[in-house]
Amino acid sequence: MMLCFLQVEFLLWREHPSLDRSSAFLSRVYREDIGPCLSFTRSELSQLVQRAVENNSLTIEPVAMSALPLVKASALECGGPKKCALSGLSRVCQHRIKLGDKGSYYYISPSSRARITAVCNFFTYIRYILQGLVRQNAEQIFWEVIRLRREMAVAKLGKQEMCHILGM
């Protein structure tokens, strides 16, 4: 069986798994997937989101539609029901995020939510590996990691763009 360089990087990481970015495997995932997926117009907030995802301290919750008109002054900084805090674009924001224990909520668009959750799903699986909760062989784990990386790429591109690329 011939191994590709991606599998080799993964197998080397799996010998001593950690969340340390210095491994070739995680360095590649950060460079090719996580970084681009969590790169938004508001770069300072993007960095805070990435840190919260890494620390497993980010909360995403739906916004009750009846509560939307009650948004007051903080909506300017945190987006609002009609402006995504991460992209700055006018979008209907049906979810909001909270970073750690901070009191501020940030309203996010569906595309921003998809990008964040794709990265969260990847980190959740990596944490499961670190905790010894994944009971599959290395090849099965590798292909699940590839699937999660593909999910980040699709989220970054957006569903419409991906469907166009794939001719769907």
Side-chain angles (χ1 to χ4, degrees):
M1 178 172 104
M2 186 171 171
L3 297 177
C4 72
F5 61 94
L6 294 172
Q7 283 178 303
V8 171
E9 288 176 354
F10 170 75
L11 291 172
L12 289 173
W13 171 84
R14 192 160 176 263
E15 288 178 11
H16 303 286
S18 75
L19 289 176
D20 183 7
R21 290 192 211 185
S22 66
S23 73
F25 165 67
L26 278 184
S27 176
R28 174 182 302 280
V29 174
Y30 266 93
R31 185 177 62 253
E32 295 177 359
D33 303 310
I34 295 168
C37 209
L38 294 181
S39 177
F40 295 95
T41 304
R42 292 197 52 208
S43 59
E44 186 176 313
L45 183 55
S46 295
Q47 292 171 4
L48 294 173
V49 167
Q50 182 171 322
R51 265 187 246 124
V53 170
E54 291 168 342
N55 297 329
N56 203 20
S57 62
L58 180 130
T59 304
I60 300 177
E61 61 185 42
V63 177
M65 296 312 268
S66 62
L68 290 180
L70 303 175
V71 176
K72 302 221 190 281
S74 66
L76 294 176
E77 176 193 341
C78 301
K82 296 186 186 215
K83 184 175 183 184
C84 178
L86 288 163
S87 69
L89 298 174
S90 294
R91 300 285 187 265
V92 174
C93 300
Q94 298 174 343
H95 289 84
R96 63 185 186 176
I97 57 173
K98 185 176 179 183
L99 311 174
D101 293 333
K102 294 181 181 178
S104 296
Y105 284 92
Y106 299 91
Y107 291 86
I108 58 171
S109 65
S111 63
S112 294
R113 178 185 180 270
R115 290 164 62 176
I116 293 168
T117 56
V119 176
C120 287
N121 291 341
F122 174 81
F123 271 102
T124 297
Y125 191 69
I126 293 300
R127 286 186 190 101
Y128 287 167
I129 294 170
L130 295 175
Q131 294 168 7
L133 299 174
V134 179
R135 302 279 185 217
Q136 297 175 314
N137 67 42
E139 186 174 352
Q140 291 170 314
I141 295 170
F142 172 75
W143 287 112
E144 179 60 12
V145 166
I146 294 298
R147 187 191 69 75
L148 292 165
R149 291 186 68 192
R150 185 179 64 231
E151 297 257 330
M152 287 187 276
V154 169
K156 172 64 178 149
L157 289 173
K159 287 182 182 177
Q160 292 172 334
E161 291 86 351
M162 213 46 199
C163 288
H164 176 73
I165 290 168
L166 298 174
M168 299 170 84

